[in-house]
Amino acid sequence: MPFHFNIAREDLLRAINAQQQITNKKGTLAILANVLMEVENNEIVFTATDL
């Protein structure tokens, strides 16, 4: 289900940069290194993986 939200550019970059440590380029396939953005209780939750 699509959602719309407003976020300051600096806040978004800070959240994505924090996830970068998890999805680091360690030779994994690019499709396996992702960041999931979810909205829960008026909050945006970022989850990262490098499988």
Side-chain angles (χ1 to χ4, degrees):
M1 170 199 288
F3 58 89
H4 298 274
F5 61 93
N6 292 317
I7 186 170
R9 182 177 189 271
E10 296 79 21
D11 294 337
L12 179 61
L13 289 176
R14 185 175 27 241
I16 291 175
N17 284 335
Q19 302 300 318
Q20 186 176 11
Q21 298 300 322
I22 297 167
T23 60
N24 194 352
K25 303 255 189 225
K26 293 188 245 179
T28 61
L29 296 172
I31 193 71
L32 300 178
N34 294 289
V35 175
L36 172 66
M37 293 174 32
E38 298 177 287
V39 175
E40 297 177 355
N41 302 323
N42 293 327
E43 294 181 344
I44 300 173
V45 177
F46 290 84
T47 306
T49 182
D50 67 354
L51 291 183

mmCIF file of all heavy atoms in Angstrom:
data_model
loop_
_atom_site.group_PDB
_atom_site.id
_atom_site.type_symbol
_atom_site.label_atom_id
_atom_site.label_comp_id
_atom_site.label_asym_id
_atom_site.label_seq_id
_atom_site.Cartn_x
_atom_site.Cartn_y
_atom_site.Cartn_z
ATOM 1 N N MET A 1 0.841 -1.168 0.000
ATOM 2 C CA MET A 1 0.000 0.000 0.000
ATOM 3 C C MET A 1 0.892 1.239 0.000
ATOM 4 O O MET A 1 1.757 1.375 0.849
ATOM 5 C CB MET A 1 -0.892 -0.023 1.249
ATOM 6 C CG MET A 1 -1.620 1.280 1.423
ATOM 7 S SD MET A 1 -2.261 1.609 3.061
ATOM 8 C CE MET A 1 -3.583 0.526 3.212
ATOM 9 N N PRO A 2 0.733 2.124 -0.958
ATOM 10 C CA PRO A 2 1.562 3.337 -1.008
ATOM 11 C C PRO A 2 1.219 4.306 0.123
ATOM 12 O O PRO A 2 0.094 4.337 0.608
ATOM 13 C CB PRO A 2 1.242 3.948 -2.359
ATOM 14 C CG PRO A 2 -0.055 3.369 -2.764
ATOM 15 C CD PRO A 2 -0.203 2.061 -2.073
ATOM 16 N N PHE A 3 2.204 5.072 0.518
ATOM 17 C CA PHE A 3 1.980 6.092 1.540
ATOM 18 C C PHE A 3 2.748 7.342 1.155
ATOM 19 O O PHE A 3 3.689 7.290 0.389
ATOM 20 C CB PHE A 3 2.383 5.605 2.931
ATOM 21 C CG PHE A 3 3.815 5.167 3.042
ATOM 22 C CD1 PHE A 3 4.809 6.064 3.377
ATOM 23 C CD2 PHE A 3 4.187 3.851 2.834
ATOM 24 C CE1 PHE A 3 6.134 5.673 3.489
ATOM 25 C CE2 PHE A 3 5.501 3.448 2.932
ATOM 26 C CZ PHE A 3 6.469 4.358 3.261
ATOM 27 N N HIS A 4 2.325 8.453 1.694
ATOM 28 C CA HIS A 4 2.969 9.737 1.439
ATOM 29 C C HIS A 4 3.448 10.292 2.768
ATOM 30 O O HIS A 4 2.761 10.182 3.786
ATOM 31 C CB HIS A 4 1.989 10.719 0.800
ATOM 32 C CG HIS A 4 1.483 10.254 -0.516
ATOM 33 N ND1 HIS A 4 2.159 10.496 -1.692
ATOM 34 C CD2 HIS A 4 0.390 9.539 -0.849
ATOM 35 C CE1 HIS A 4 1.499 9.951 -2.675
ATOM 36 N NE2 HIS A 4 0.409 9.365 -2.198
ATOM 37 N N PHE A 5 4.640 10.888 2.759
ATOM 38 C CA PHE A 5 5.162 11.500 3.970
ATOM 39 C C PHE A 5 6.115 12.613 3.587
ATOM 40 O O PHE A 5 6.623 12.664 2.474
ATOM 41 C CB PHE A 5 5.862 10.476 4.870
ATOM 42 C CG PHE A 5 7.056 9.816 4.224
ATOM 43 C CD1 PHE A 5 8.323 10.342 4.421
ATOM 44 C CD2 PHE A 5 6.921 8.691 3.455
ATOM 45 C CE1 PHE A 5 9.433 9.749 3.838
ATOM 46 C CE2 PHE A 5 8.019 8.084 2.870
ATOM 47 C CZ PHE A 5 9.280 8.622 3.064
ATOM 48 N N ASN A 6 6.339 13.503 4.520
ATOM 49 C CA ASN A 6 7.317 14.583 4.356
ATOM 50 C C ASN A 6 8.422 14.376 5.374
ATOM 51 O O ASN A 6 8.148 14.069 6.539
ATOM 52 C CB ASN A 6 6.666 15.952 4.596
ATOM 53 C CG ASN A 6 5.671 16.295 3.510
ATOM 54 O OD1 ASN A 6 5.941 16.088 2.342
ATOM 55 N ND2 ASN A 6 4.536 16.811 3.898
ATOM 56 N N ILE A 7 9.651 14.541 4.919
ATOM 57 C CA ILE A 7 10.797 14.395 5.825
ATOM 58 C C ILE A 7 11.877 15.359 5.343
ATOM 59 O O ILE A 7 12.057 15.559 4.143
ATOM 60 C CB ILE A 7 11.309 12.928 5.840
ATOM 61 C CG1 ILE A 7 12.401 12.744 6.882
ATOM 62 C CG2 ILE A 7 11.759 12.490 4.465
ATOM 63 C CD1 ILE A 7 12.763 11.293 7.121
ATOM 64 N N ALA A 8 12.567 15.939 6.288
ATOM 65 C CA ALA A 8 13.665 16.837 5.938
ATOM 66 C C ALA A 8 14.778 16.029 5.279
ATOM 67 O O ALA A 8 15.065 14.899 5.679
ATOM 68 C CB ALA A 8 14.185 17.551 7.176
ATOM 69 N N ARG A 9 15.382 16.597 4.276
ATOM 70 C CA ARG A 9 16.449 15.910 3.541
ATOM 71 C C ARG A 9 17.555 15.445 4.482
ATOM 72 O O ARG A 9 18.054 14.327 4.372
ATOM 73 C CB ARG A 9 17.013 16.854 2.475
ATOM 74 C CG ARG A 9 18.090 16.242 1.625
ATOM 75 C CD ARG A 9 18.531 17.232 0.538
ATOM 76 N NE ARG A 9 19.402 16.624 -0.425
ATOM 77 C CZ ARG A 9 20.727 16.577 -0.298
ATOM 78 N NH1 ARG A 9 21.307 17.136 0.743
ATOM 79 N NH2 ARG A 9 21.458 15.994 -1.220
ATOM 80 N N GLU A 10 17.950 16.290 5.403
ATOM 81 C CA GLU A 10 19.024 15.954 6.345
ATOM 82 C C GLU A 10 18.638 14.758 7.216
ATOM 83 O O GLU A 10 19.463 13.888 7.487
ATOM 84 C CB GLU A 10 19.371 17.153 7.234
ATOM 85 C CG GLU A 10 19.938 18.341 6.478
ATOM 86 C CD GLU A 10 18.867 19.178 5.777
ATOM 87 O OE1 GLU A 10 17.677 19.114 6.169
ATOM 88 O OE2 GLU A 10 19.208 19.875 4.815
ATOM 89 N N ASP A 11 17.381 14.695 7.651
ATOM 90 C CA ASP A 11 16.931 13.574 8.476
ATOM 91 C C ASP A 11 16.929 12.269 7.687
ATOM 92 O O ASP A 11 17.332 11.223 8.195
ATOM 93 C CB ASP A 11 15.538 13.847 9.039
ATOM 94 C CG ASP A 11 15.521 14.992 10.026
ATOM 95 O OD1 ASP A 11 16.582 15.309 10.608
ATOM 96 O OD2 ASP A 11 14.435 15.575 10.220
ATOM 97 N N LEU A 12 16.488 12.338 6.427
ATOM 98 C CA LEU A 12 16.484 11.147 5.586
ATOM 99 C C LEU A 12 17.904 10.663 5.325
ATOM 100 O O LEU A 12 18.201 9.472 5.448
ATOM 101 C CB LEU A 12 15.768 11.428 4.265
ATOM 102 C CG LEU A 12 15.718 10.274 3.273
ATOM 103 C CD1 LEU A 12 14.971 9.089 3.860
ATOM 104 C CD2 LEU A 12 15.069 10.724 1.978
ATOM 105 N N LEU A 13 18.806 11.581 4.994
ATOM 106 C CA LEU A 13 20.200 11.200 4.753
ATOM 107 C C LEU A 13 20.850 10.613 6.001
ATOM 108 O O LEU A 13 21.604 9.643 5.916
ATOM 109 C CB LEU A 13 21.001 12.403 4.259
ATOM 110 C CG LEU A 13 20.678 12.862 2.839
ATOM 111 C CD1 LEU A 13 21.457 14.130 2.503
ATOM 112 C CD2 LEU A 13 20.958 11.766 1.833
ATOM 113 N N ARG A 14 20.558 11.170 7.150
ATOM 114 C CA ARG A 14 21.115 10.645 8.409
ATOM 115 C C ARG A 14 20.636 9.215 8.654
ATOM 116 O O ARG A 14 21.414 8.336 9.022
ATOM 117 C CB ARG A 14 20.735 11.565 9.571
ATOM 118 C CG ARG A 14 21.367 11.177 10.871
ATOM 119 C CD ARG A 14 21.092 12.140 12.018
ATOM 120 N NE ARG A 14 19.832 12.868 11.872
ATOM 121 C CZ ARG A 14 19.740 14.189 11.780
ATOM 122 N NH1 ARG A 14 20.806 14.936 11.824
ATOM 123 N NH2 ARG A 14 18.560 14.769 11.665
ATOM 124 N N ALA A 15 19.356 8.949 8.419
ATOM 125 C CA ALA A 15 18.808 7.605 8.618
ATOM 126 C C ALA A 15 19.404 6.614 7.628
ATOM 127 O O ALA A 15 19.767 5.498 7.988
ATOM 128 C CB ALA A 15 17.294 7.637 8.489
ATOM 129 N N ILE A 16 19.530 7.012 6.377
ATOM 130 C CA ILE A 16 20.096 6.107 5.365
ATOM 131 C C ILE A 16 21.578 5.874 5.611
ATOM 132 O O ILE A 16 22.073 4.751 5.473
ATOM 133 C CB ILE A 16 19.832 6.654 3.951
ATOM 134 C CG1 ILE A 16 18.329 6.570 3.656
ATOM 135 C CG2 ILE A 16 20.628 5.877 2.907
ATOM 136 C CD1 ILE A 16 17.927 7.183 2.353
ATOM 137 N N ASN A 17 22.307 6.896 6.002
ATOM 138 C CA ASN A 17 23.734 6.728 6.286
ATOM 139 C C ASN A 17 23.959 5.800 7.468
ATOM 140 O O ASN A 17 24.928 5.045 7.494
ATOM 141 C CB ASN A 17 24.394 8.078 6.537
ATOM 142 C CG ASN A 17 24.611 8.850 5.262
ATOM 143 O OD1 ASN A 17 24.712 8.274 4.188
ATOM 144 N ND2 ASN A 17 24.660 10.174 5.361
ATOM 145 N N ALA A 18 23.069 5.823 8.454
ATOM 146 C CA ALA A 18 23.196 4.904 9.591
ATOM 147 C C ALA A 18 23.030 3.462 9.135
ATOM 148 O O ALA A 18 23.687 2.553 9.657
ATOM 149 C CB ALA A 18 22.151 5.247 10.655
ATOM 150 N N GLN A 19 22.189 3.236 8.132
ATOM 151 C CA GLN A 19 21.973 1.888 7.602
ATOM 152 C C GLN A 19 23.111 1.442 6.698
ATOM 153 O O GLN A 19 23.291 0.252 6.460
ATOM 154 C CB GLN A 19 20.651 1.834 6.834
ATOM 155 C CG GLN A 19 19.446 2.212 7.654
ATOM 156 C CD GLN A 19 19.243 1.330 8.845
ATOM 157 O OE1 GLN A 19 19.399 0.121 8.762
ATOM 158 N NE2 GLN A 19 18.902 1.917 9.959
ATOM 159 N N GLN A 20 23.878 2.368 6.196
ATOM 160 C CA GLN A 20 24.952 2.046 5.257
ATOM 161 C C GLN A 20 25.977 1.101 5.878
ATOM 162 O O GLN A 20 26.569 0.285 5.184
ATOM 163 C CB GLN A 20 25.632 3.318 4.779
ATOM 164 C CG GLN A 20 26.649 3.098 3.694
ATOM 165 C CD GLN A 20 27.224 4.413 3.188
ATOM 166 O OE1 GLN A 20 27.005 5.452 3.773
ATOM 167 N NE2 GLN A 20 27.951 4.349 2.115
ATOM 168 N N GLN A 21 26.178 1.173 7.177
ATOM 169 C CA GLN A 21 27.113 0.272 7.845
ATOM 170 C C GLN A 21 26.653 -1.177 7.738
ATOM 171 O O GLN A 21 27.458 -2.093 7.719
ATOM 172 C CB GLN A 21 27.262 0.666 9.318
ATOM 173 C CG GLN A 21 27.824 2.051 9.534
ATOM 174 C CD GLN A 21 29.197 2.223 8.936
ATOM 175 O OE1 GLN A 21 30.019 1.319 8.982
ATOM 176 N NE2 GLN A 21 29.455 3.372 8.356
ATOM 177 N N ILE A 22 25.340 -1.382 7.650
ATOM 178 C CA ILE A 22 24.794 -2.733 7.553
ATOM 179 C C ILE A 22 24.829 -3.227 6.119
ATOM 180 O O ILE A 22 25.164 -4.374 5.849
ATOM 181 C CB ILE A 22 23.349 -2.764 8.099
ATOM 182 C CG1 ILE A 22 23.360 -2.392 9.581
ATOM 183 C CG2 ILE A 22 22.701 -4.121 7.886
ATOM 184 C CD1 ILE A 22 22.004 -2.098 10.146
ATOM 185 N N THR A 23 24.466 -2.377 5.185
ATOM 186 C CA THR A 23 24.384 -2.783 3.780
ATOM 187 C C THR A 23 25.668 -2.471 3.027
ATOM 188 O O THR A 23 25.647 -2.178 1.839
ATOM 189 C CB THR A 23 23.191 -2.090 3.087
ATOM 190 O OG1 THR A 23 23.381 -0.683 3.171
ATOM 191 C CG2 THR A 23 21.886 -2.480 3.718
ATOM 192 N N ASN A 24 26.776 -2.561 3.699
ATOM 193 C CA ASN A 24 28.084 -2.275 3.126
ATOM 194 C C ASN A 24 28.359 -3.186 1.929
ATOM 195 O O ASN A 24 27.904 -4.306 1.874
ATOM 196 C CB ASN A 24 29.148 -2.482 4.213
ATOM 197 C CG ASN A 24 30.478 -1.899 3.827
ATOM 198 O OD1 ASN A 24 30.689 -1.469 2.712
ATOM 199 N ND2 ASN A 24 31.388 -1.884 4.772
ATOM 200 N N LYS A 25 29.129 -2.710 0.976
ATOM 201 C CA LYS A 25 29.518 -3.522 -0.177
ATOM 202 C C LYS A 25 30.575 -4.535 0.262
ATOM 203 O O LYS A 25 31.741 -4.223 0.380
ATOM 204 C CB LYS A 25 30.097 -2.633 -1.273
ATOM 205 C CG LYS A 25 29.157 -1.560 -1.721
ATOM 206 C CD LYS A 25 28.604 -1.935 -3.060
ATOM 207 C CE LYS A 25 27.833 -0.751 -3.585
ATOM 208 N NZ LYS A 25 26.601 -1.027 -4.147
ATOM 209 N N LYS A 26 30.139 -5.760 0.545
ATOM 210 C CA LYS A 26 31.049 -6.817 0.958
ATOM 211 C C LYS A 26 31.109 -7.922 -0.082
ATOM 212 O O LYS A 26 31.304 -9.073 0.238
ATOM 213 C CB LYS A 26 30.576 -7.414 2.291
ATOM 214 C CG LYS A 26 30.665 -6.481 3.453
ATOM 215 C CD LYS A 26 30.357 -7.232 4.720
ATOM 216 C CE LYS A 26 29.086 -6.689 5.298
ATOM 217 N NZ LYS A 26 28.665 -7.332 6.508
ATOM 218 N N GLY A 27 30.873 -7.568 -1.321
ATOM 219 C CA GLY A 27 30.884 -8.581 -2.356
ATOM 220 C C GLY A 27 29.552 -9.291 -2.514
ATOM 221 O O GLY A 27 29.460 -10.235 -3.276
ATOM 222 N N THR A 28 28.526 -8.850 -1.778
ATOM 223 C CA THR A 28 27.225 -9.477 -1.940
ATOM 224 C C THR A 28 26.576 -8.967 -3.218
ATOM 225 O O THR A 28 26.956 -7.945 -3.768
ATOM 226 C CB THR A 28 26.294 -9.145 -0.760
ATOM 227 O OG1 THR A 28 26.111 -7.734 -0.707
ATOM 228 C CG2 THR A 28 26.868 -9.634 0.545
ATOM 229 N N LEU A 29 25.606 -9.681 -3.686
ATOM 230 C CA LEU A 29 24.851 -9.228 -4.845
ATOM 231 C C LEU A 29 24.071 -7.980 -4.468
ATOM 232 O O LEU A 29 23.502 -7.892 -3.384
ATOM 233 C CB LEU A 29 23.880 -10.307 -5.304
ATOM 234 C CG LEU A 29 24.508 -11.615 -5.804
ATOM 235 C CD1 LEU A 29 23.444 -12.658 -6.053
ATOM 236 C CD2 LEU A 29 25.304 -11.349 -7.072
ATOM 237 N N ALA A 30 24.010 -7.018 -5.361
ATOM 238 C CA ALA A 30 23.342 -5.756 -5.063
ATOM 239 C C ALA A 30 21.878 -5.947 -4.664
ATOM 240 O O ALA A 30 21.356 -5.223 -3.831
ATOM 241 C CB ALA A 30 23.429 -4.819 -6.266
ATOM 242 N N ILE A 31 21.215 -6.947 -5.210
ATOM 243 C CA ILE A 31 19.800 -7.179 -4.908
ATOM 244 C C ILE A 31 19.607 -7.603 -3.458
ATOM 245 O O ILE A 31 18.528 -7.476 -2.899
ATOM 246 C CB ILE A 31 19.205 -8.229 -5.883
ATOM 247 C CG1 ILE A 31 17.691 -8.253 -5.815
ATOM 248 C CG2 ILE A 31 19.785 -9.610 -5.604
ATOM 249 C CD1 ILE A 31 17.020 -7.063 -6.401
ATOM 250 N N LEU A 32 20.662 -8.111 -2.809
ATOM 251 C CA LEU A 32 20.549 -8.570 -1.429
ATOM 252 C C LEU A 32 20.805 -7.467 -0.412
ATOM 253 O O LEU A 32 20.566 -7.661 0.774
ATOM 254 C CB LEU A 32 21.523 -9.731 -1.178
ATOM 255 C CG LEU A 32 21.307 -10.960 -2.036
ATOM 256 C CD1 LEU A 32 22.374 -11.997 -1.722
ATOM 257 C CD2 LEU A 32 19.924 -11.524 -1.836
ATOM 258 N N ALA A 33 21.314 -6.334 -0.831
ATOM 259 C CA ALA A 33 21.620 -5.230 0.075
ATOM 260 C C ALA A 33 20.565 -4.142 -0.099
ATOM 261 O O ALA A 33 20.601 -3.401 -1.070
ATOM 262 C CB ALA A 33 23.008 -4.677 -0.205
ATOM 263 N N ASN A 34 19.630 -4.076 0.827
ATOM 264 C CA ASN A 34 18.509 -3.169 0.693
ATOM 265 C C ASN A 34 18.142 -2.509 2.009
ATOM 266 O O ASN A 34 18.497 -2.989 3.083
ATOM 267 C CB ASN A 34 17.284 -3.922 0.169
ATOM 268 C CG ASN A 34 17.482 -4.420 -1.233
ATOM 269 O OD1 ASN A 34 17.513 -3.631 -2.144
ATOM 270 N ND2 ASN A 34 17.642 -5.722 -1.384
ATOM 271 N N VAL A 35 17.380 -1.417 1.898
ATOM 272 C CA VAL A 35 16.818 -0.729 3.055
ATOM 273 C C VAL A 35 15.307 -0.717 2.883
ATOM 274 O O VAL A 35 14.799 -0.324 1.824
ATOM 275 C CB VAL A 35 17.348 0.716 3.179
ATOM 276 C CG1 VAL A 35 16.663 1.450 4.316
ATOM 277 C CG2 VAL A 35 18.852 0.712 3.386
ATOM 278 N N LEU A 36 14.599 -1.172 3.890
ATOM 279 C CA LEU A 36 13.144 -1.183 3.886
ATOM 280 C C LEU A 36 12.651 -0.011 4.716
ATOM 281 O O LEU A 36 13.114 0.196 5.835
ATOM 282 C CB LEU A 36 12.623 -2.495 4.495
ATOM 283 C CG LEU A 36 11.124 -2.593 4.734
ATOM 284 C CD1 LEU A 36 10.373 -2.584 3.401
ATOM 285 C CD2 LEU A 36 10.810 -3.849 5.523
ATOM 286 N N MET A 37 11.723 0.772 4.161
ATOM 287 C CA MET A 37 11.116 1.889 4.885
ATOM 288 C C MET A 37 9.666 1.528 5.172
ATOM 289 O O MET A 37 8.922 1.195 4.254
ATOM 290 C CB MET A 37 11.164 3.167 4.056
ATOM 291 C CG MET A 37 12.543 3.698 3.845
ATOM 292 S SD MET A 37 12.675 5.116 2.720
ATOM 293 C CE MET A 37 11.192 6.006 2.928
ATOM 294 N N GLU A 38 9.274 1.566 6.455
ATOM 295 C CA GLU A 38 7.903 1.269 6.846
ATOM 296 C C GLU A 38 7.372 2.406 7.710
ATOM 297 O O GLU A 38 8.137 3.038 8.438
ATOM 298 C CB GLU A 38 7.835 -0.012 7.663
ATOM 299 C CG GLU A 38 8.302 -1.248 6.923
ATOM 300 C CD GLU A 38 8.268 -2.464 7.810
ATOM 301 O OE1 GLU A 38 9.132 -2.570 8.689
ATOM 302 O OE2 GLU A 38 7.363 -3.284 7.620
ATOM 303 N N VAL A 39 6.077 2.625 7.653
ATOM 304 C CA VAL A 39 5.441 3.612 8.509
ATOM 305 C C VAL A 39 4.664 2.870 9.582
ATOM 306 O O VAL A 39 3.846 2.010 9.284
ATOM 307 C CB VAL A 39 4.494 4.531 7.708
ATOM 308 C CG1 VAL A 39 3.745 5.461 8.627
ATOM 309 C CG2 VAL A 39 5.273 5.316 6.676
ATOM 310 N N GLU A 40 4.976 3.177 10.850
ATOM 311 C CA GLU A 40 4.305 2.561 11.991
ATOM 312 C C GLU A 40 4.018 3.641 13.021
ATOM 313 O O GLU A 40 4.943 4.321 13.489
ATOM 314 C CB GLU A 40 5.184 1.489 12.630
ATOM 315 C CG GLU A 40 5.498 0.314 11.717
ATOM 316 C CD GLU A 40 6.427 -0.691 12.376
ATOM 317 O OE1 GLU A 40 6.901 -0.429 13.503
ATOM 318 O OE2 GLU A 40 6.675 -1.737 11.763
ATOM 319 N N ASN A 41 2.770 3.803 13.371
ATOM 320 C CA ASN A 41 2.385 4.750 14.426
ATOM 321 C C ASN A 41 2.976 6.132 14.204
ATOM 322 O O ASN A 41 3.602 6.710 15.079
ATOM 323 C CB ASN A 41 2.792 4.215 15.799
ATOM 324 C CG ASN A 41 2.162 2.877 16.090
ATOM 325 O OD1 ASN A 41 1.023 2.636 15.725
ATOM 326 N ND2 ASN A 41 2.905 1.993 16.719
ATOM 327 N N ASN A 42 2.812 6.672 13.005
ATOM 328 C CA ASN A 42 3.312 8.009 12.654
ATOM 329 C C ASN A 42 4.822 8.125 12.732
ATOM 330 O O ASN A 42 5.368 9.202 12.948
ATOM 331 C CB ASN A 42 2.648 9.085 13.519
ATOM 332 C CG ASN A 42 1.179 9.212 13.208
ATOM 333 O OD1 ASN A 42 0.766 9.029 12.069
ATOM 334 N ND2 ASN A 42 0.390 9.515 14.208
ATOM 335 N N GLU A 43 5.525 7.019 12.587
ATOM 336 C CA GLU A 43 6.990 7.007 12.560
ATOM 337 C C GLU A 43 7.441 6.270 11.309
ATOM 338 O O GLU A 43 6.759 5.375 10.824
ATOM 339 C CB GLU A 43 7.564 6.300 13.789
ATOM 340 C CG GLU A 43 7.304 7.001 15.080
ATOM 341 C CD GLU A 43 7.914 6.252 16.262
ATOM 342 O OE1 GLU A 43 8.269 5.073 16.125
ATOM 343 O OE2 GLU A 43 8.013 6.882 17.309
ATOM 344 N N ILE A 44 8.596 6.636 10.807
ATOM 345 C CA ILE A 44 9.195 5.912 9.687
ATOM 346 C C ILE A 44 10.275 5.012 10.275
ATOM 347 O O ILE A 44 11.168 5.471 10.983
ATOM 348 C CB ILE A 44 9.808 6.870 8.651
ATOM 349 C CG1 ILE A 44 8.736 7.797 8.105
ATOM 350 C CG2 ILE A 44 10.462 6.084 7.524
ATOM 351 C CD1 ILE A 44 9.274 8.874 7.213
ATOM 352 N N VAL A 45 10.178 3.728 9.992
ATOM 353 C CA VAL A 45 11.125 2.740 10.509
ATOM 354 C C VAL A 45 11.985 2.255 9.351
ATOM 355 O O VAL A 45 11.461 1.810 8.322
ATOM 356 C CB VAL A 45 10.383 1.563 11.169
ATOM 357 C CG1 VAL A 45 11.364 0.511 11.648
ATOM 358 C CG2 VAL A 45 9.492 2.043 12.292
ATOM 359 N N PHE A 46 13.306 2.356 9.502
ATOM 360 C CA PHE A 46 14.253 1.881 8.492
ATOM 361 C C PHE A 46 14.838 0.560 8.959
ATOM 362 O O PHE A 46 15.308 0.452 10.089
ATOM 363 C CB PHE A 46 15.398 2.881 8.307
ATOM 364 C CG PHE A 46 14.980 4.159 7.640
ATOM 365 C CD1 PHE A 46 14.430 5.198 8.365
ATOM 366 C CD2 PHE A 46 15.142 4.318 6.272
ATOM 367 C CE1 PHE A 46 14.044 6.362 7.754
ATOM 368 C CE2 PHE A 46 14.756 5.486 5.652
ATOM 369 C CZ PHE A 46 14.209 6.516 6.390
ATOM 370 N N THR A 47 14.820 -0.446 8.090
ATOM 371 C CA THR A 47 15.404 -1.741 8.379
ATOM 372 C C THR A 47 16.336 -2.076 7.224
ATOM 373 O O THR A 47 15.950 -1.939 6.066
ATOM 374 C CB THR A 47 14.314 -2.816 8.511
ATOM 375 O OG1 THR A 47 13.352 -2.401 9.464
ATOM 376 C CG2 THR A 47 14.924 -4.145 8.945
ATOM 377 N N ALA A 48 17.549 -2.524 7.532
ATOM 378 C CA ALA A 48 18.524 -2.821 6.486
ATOM 379 C C ALA A 48 18.975 -4.271 6.589
ATOM 380 O O ALA A 48 18.908 -4.886 7.648
ATOM 381 C CB ALA A 48 19.732 -1.900 6.616
ATOM 382 N N THR A 49 19.429 -4.796 5.456
ATOM 383 C CA THR A 49 19.930 -6.161 5.416
ATOM 384 C C THR A 49 21.039 -6.269 4.371
ATOM 385 O O THR A 49 21.086 -5.493 3.437
ATOM 386 C CB THR A 49 18.811 -7.165 5.107
ATOM 387 O OG1 THR A 49 19.368 -8.484 5.134
ATOM 388 C CG2 THR A 49 18.220 -6.940 3.736
ATOM 389 N N ASP A 50 21.905 -7.237 4.574
ATOM 390 C CA ASP A 50 22.894 -7.565 3.544
ATOM 391 C C ASP A 50 22.870 -9.048 3.249
ATOM 392 O O ASP A 50 23.687 -9.552 2.523
ATOM 393 C CB ASP A 50 24.294 -7.124 3.941
ATOM 394 C CG ASP A 50 24.842 -7.888 5.116
ATOM 395 O OD1 ASP A 50 24.107 -8.693 5.711
ATOM 396 O OD2 ASP A 50 26.004 -7.674 5.463
ATOM 397 N N LEU A 51 21.891 -9.759 3.787
ATOM 398 C CA LEU A 51 21.724 -11.209 3.595
ATOM 399 C C LEU A 51 23.039 -11.877 3.304
ATOM 400 O O LEU A 51 23.180 -12.846 2.738
ATOM 401 C CB LEU A 51 20.698 -11.500 2.520
ATOM 402 C CG LEU A 51 19.275 -11.153 2.886
ATOM 403 C CD1 LEU A 51 18.343 -11.555 1.741
ATOM 404 C CD2 LEU A 51 18.806 -11.828 4.131
#
